Amino acid sequence: MSKKVLFGLLTMMLVFALILVGCGEQDTPQAEEEAAAEEAPAEESVAGGFMIPEVVDGKFNIAMVLIGPHDDGGWSQAHYEGLMYVAENMDNVNTAYVELVPEGADSEQVTRSLARKGFDLIFTTSFGYMDATETVAEEFPDQMFIHVSGYKSNGSNFGNLMGAMEDMKYLAGVIAGARAHQDGQTKMGYMATFPIPEELRLGNAFALGMKEFCPECTMDVRWINTWHDPVIEKEAAASLFDSGAYVVFTGADTPAPADVATERGDVYGITYDWSGSCTAERCLTAPYWNWGSVYLQIAEGTRDGTYTAGWHYFDADSGGLGLYGFMEGQELTPGMQDLDPEVIAYVEETLAQMLAGEFDRFDVFAGPIMDNQGNIVVPEGEKMVQADLDQFPPGAEGLECTYCMYWWADGVTAELPE
Amino acid sequence: MDILVILQAGVASGTVLLFATLGEILSERSGVMNLGVEGMMLVGAMSAYSIAVHLGNPWLGLVVAMLFAGIISQIHAFITITLHADQVVSGLALTFVGTGLSLVLGEGLNKAGTVALLPTLSIPLLEHIPVIGDIFFKNHSIMVYIGYLFIPLTWYFINKTRPGMHLKAVGEFPAAADSQGIKVYRLRYLYVFIGGMLAGLAGGTISLAISPGWFSELTTGGQGWIAVGLVIFAQWNPIRAAAGSYIFGALRRLVLDIQGPTMLLGFANPFFYNPYLGFFLQMIPYAFTIVVLVIGSQEAMRKRIGAPAALGEPYVRGERGK
């Protein structure tokens, strides 16, 4: 009996294989004709388990590598929507993306496959894609590679791109501190991803904001060792709330803090990255990215040959940053409506200055700044420079820093290893 | 850092491991090792959430999750029981099948919006017991309480009932069981199916109760593999499996909460002063799984820890038994 079954199975597999081979032979010339004639995005190919999209001849081809799903409700979705903005606002352009690409070797393979397909401009959107992007950019000198976050560039076709999210994190900290102060609470929670300069910078900006209206406030930190893991992010939010945090904010990708806060009902969460992420009832606000206009500028500049790869770091006046509840067409969230009007006025005023270009990241990190050990990090009258914002001491070669981002601001209950 | 809170959270997230581990124990007791737990859990998590979103009933979601995961487990049953193929290879393949299937069918599910979840409740009277009540009987999902019932039931079934004896016989000495008129193939199919259903239940417990939502393969995050390791650690005993599940559940929260206090047991807390150390804690369940699987794959060691004698051996009727 078992022999019969085996034989049947083999026959089925053979038939199936024949059908596949037959179809394949017919399909190949057809697909080529179609691609040439209609410019339709043709069939996709596979590299290391990832579907690599095709370029469209005659168009300007842009690809994006995402670490999460394109609809993660956070970081990756913000990038994806930026890409869609470019697709809508630029003529004769073809856009494509590959999602859920792990950092490291996989990202290098995917980026190289995209380059080999002939994409003119490739955005890689996670910190850990940095070295992979650098390697591939060297192999394909005629194509442009833009790495988001990180700190490297080769000055010709491998550019670094990041925005001053610290501006918005600072304002979110102001709101969170004021909220806690008004409700008789004193503790904040920060769900941090990896001990890298970016995460320290954003956490410190929040802590500086928190102190504006709540000098008695402190901030707990939980390292979660991931950019995108919805389950761990929820556990970390729960851990912070259980330890007494009243407002929890995140450096990771999903709206977990607001979701968990809503489950609890008597605390607040602050989401991050995406303008649509602050929908839960107990979401206080969300600092978010508007990649669209920045990406459009880079894409057009690359096509014209006017964009130079380097360290492209934009502030709020570029339109690339937002704070949920305060931007055009938005309303204050329920958690902000009964806040002291003085606080709301302060946030609105500072935000207006930021958007006008009168208040930037160096004003957020202007002295005097105290660390949580009681030392003065930046003395009165001094400001940090770019290398201080994104470098650990002593700083990468050519990017040496004086003050450096290796300290926790006053009020943060956490330590960094020696 | 509050130990009570950590243990309470541990019991909740350990319930997922509990269902998956109990299912794998039943399957392995019948002689079939199924390494496809992770894939079946994903199928369960996806289908439970999908049904709850589209039909609005989480209980129906759980039933469908169990059926769907049970059905795909039968691929493994057919390949290993009827075709006598290698159980390790087939189980690994089942993981890929389940993962791929759940990713394709679950496309777009994560932004489906709010969904009816399984209820959370406290057990009257029992919740007021100091410590024990706080950890086990307060503000838990109903799945946690169902998990408590499964532990003694599974133990009693395996050790004290007639069908349980047949199950053990099939896993220990299938040729002898066959000669006594026990239908070896049929029982092995059945217990692989039950193992699949419990893995599906574990998946549904994640997506509808413990960490609600569908987050592609991150939903399970390797917990299916930990369950496979726990089975060996538990020496195929449901009670030990429960203890292991809850301990590993608690470890998930401990990794986070231990970063909080500056002092630990009277000493400066190393996890507070060095955030990198936490990553080692996070690694423990996975490292443990590897170690246990290596130990469990050695013949001499398997005898000592009481592995079912015919585990991993295809049974071919009429061939010399061993």
Side-chain angles (χ1 to χ4, degrees), chain A residues 58-94:
Chain A
K59 290 198 174 184
F60 187 70
N61 290 287
I62 308 174
M64 180 176 275
V65 186
L66 298 170
I67 188 159
H70 71 282
D71 53 0
D72 68 347
W75 175 260
S76 293
Q77 186 154 359
H79 286 288
Y80 171 74
E81 291 189 352
L83 186 67
M84 290 302 103
Y85 180 86
V86 175
E88 283 161 22
N89 291 284
M90 197 170 158
D91 56 338
N92 205 26
V93 69
N94 170 48

Side-chain angles (χ1 to χ4, degrees), chain A residues 112-241:
Chain A
R112 184 176 290 114
S113 301
L114 288 167
R116 205 171 276 151
K117 290 277 181 194
F119 280 95
D120 304 294
L121 171 61
I122 297 172
F123 292 103
T124 57
T125 63
S126 191
F127 182 82
Y129 296 162
M130 178 167 64
D131 292 347
T133 312
E134 185 185 30
T135 309
V136 178
E138 227 162 80
E139 296 166 15
F140 297 87
D142 299 330
Q143 286 148 271
M144 180 67 91
F145 298 81
I146 301 293
H147 176 244
V148 180
S149 75
Y151 53 83
K152 286 186 184 174
S153 163
N154 69 2
S156 60
N157 74 323
F158 168 52
N160 175 266
L161 174 67
M162 192 58 182
M165 185 47 82
E166 46 273 27
D167 298 354
M168 297 301 153
K169 291 272 181 178
Y170 166 77
L171 291 180
V174 170
I175 295 166
R179 180 76 261 172
H181 183 72
Q182 196 167 318
D183 297 344
Q185 300 278 343
T186 58
K187 212 163 173 186
M188 307 286 140
Y190 176 28
M191 187 196 303
T193 57
F194 300 94
I196 58 171
E198 176 190 337
E199 289 297 89
L200 293 179
R201 179 172 75 241
L202 298 184
N204 282 333
F206 189 97
L208 293 173
M210 165 185 93
K211 289 278 182 189
E212 298 285 357
F213 289 90
C214 186
E216 72 276 20
C217 276
T218 62
M219 181 173 113
D220 267 14
V221 178
R222 295 285 184 275
W223 296 100
I224 60 172
N225 195 23
T226 176
W227 291 110
H228 177 80
D229 190 322
V231 177
I232 290 179
E233 287 172 42
K234 279 193 175 181
E235 286 170 350
S239 169
L240 284 163
F241 285 128

Side-chain angles (χ1 to χ4, degrees), chain A residues 1-2 5-6 9 69-73 77 99-100 193-195 220-226 228-232 234-240 242-243 263-264 392 406 413-418, chain B residues 1-2 5 9 13 78 82-84 103 107-111 117 206 210-213 215-221 223 252-253 255-262 271-276 279 282:
Chain A
M1 191 236 163
S2 71
V5 172
L6 203 67
L9 208 73
H70 71 282
D71 53 0
D72 68 347
Q77 186 154 359
E99 60 186 359
L100 288 162
T193 57
F194 300 94
D220 267 14
V221 178
R222 295 285 184 275
W223 296 100
I224 60 172
N225 195 23
T226 176
H228 177 80
D229 190 322
V231 177
I232 290 179
K234 279 193 175 181
E235 286 170 350
S239 169
L240 284 163
D242 282 334
S243 73
E263 279 167 33
R264 309 239 162 169
F392 279 166
Y406 202 71
T413 333
E415 293 283 335
L416 292 165
E418 294 285 316
Chain B
M1 189 175 76
D2 186 347
V5 171
S13 58
F78 176 72
T82 304
L83 301 183
H84 314 303
L103 291 188
E107 177 93 47
L109 207 54
N110 60 333
K111 54 175 180 186
L117 300 175
I206 301 179
I210 306 299
S211 318
F215 317 110
S216 55
E217 64 260 59
L218 292 170
T219 314
T220 52
Q223 292 194 70
R252 285 179 74 93
R253 258 304 284 276
V255 171
L256 297 161
D257 284 23
I258 204 168
Q259 300 174 16
T262 52
F271 298 98
F272 177 79
Y273 287 96
N274 190 343
Y276 301 98
F279 304 161
Q282 227 168 9

